[in-house]
Amino acid sequence: MSEIKRPMINDALRLLRLYVGRSQKEMAAELDLSQSMISEIESGTKAVSMEVLERYSSNLNVRMSNLLFFAEELEGQPLKIKGRLIIATKVLSLLENLAPRETSDAT
């Protein structure tokens, strides 16, 4: 049985928030969402809608295409797309290692 992984977009949004130095509470206020919604999105328990991606894009001045790069999944994709997605996974892994750490009062 294959392990079910959360979509890359959830990790990308969490890392993006950390890189801009925002707590979940601050990000929630800026995006007009609840802190629990941000937490659920980042943990992968809540799917990310296009509307939420547009809010991140607009608020953080990040192109939608950059965010959507991490929204694709490997399962059932042709080899050409799988290569691009493998690279996206590696990029996330690198960013994870370089990401600022959250403080205990950041959530």
Side-chain angles (χ1 to χ4, degrees), residues 5-105:
K5 295 182 179 179
R6 66 182 177 196
M8 287 186 290
I9 188 66
N10 302 82
D11 285 330
L13 294 176
R14 180 180 58 80
L15 289 169
L16 180 58
R17 176 182 60 76
L18 290 173
Y19 271 97
V20 297
R22 307 264 198 327
S23 68
Q24 286 184 348
K25 186 176 182 178
E26 291 168 330
M27 186 60 68
E30 291 178 16
L31 300 180
D32 196 27
L33 298 170
S34 68
Q35 186 272 326
S36 62
M37 173 72 103
I38 298 295
S39 177
E40 290 172 346
I41 288 171
E42 290 182 1
S43 69
T45 58
K46 186 76 129 181
V48 183
S49 69
M50 288 300 289
E51 178 187 348
V52 169
L53 285 178
E54 287 173 2
R55 290 182 190 189
Y56 272 92
S57 173
S58 175
N59 183 273
L60 299 174
N61 198 26
V62 175
R63 296 171 75 179
M64 277 290 284
S65 59
N66 292 341
L67 295 177
L68 290 172
F69 178 72
F70 295 103
E72 298 183 57
E73 294 301 319
L74 282 171
E75 207 57 41
Q77 296 294 331
L79 187 57
K80 180 179 176 183
I81 292 175
K82 281 185 182 182
R84 189 174 76 215
L85 296 176
I86 289 168
I87 291 169
T89 303
K90 298 294 184 190
V91 167
L92 276 178
S93 178
L94 176 63
L95 292 174
E96 180 73 45
N97 290 329
L98 299 173
R101 299 294 169 218
E102 287 201 70
T103 59
S104 59
D105 64 334

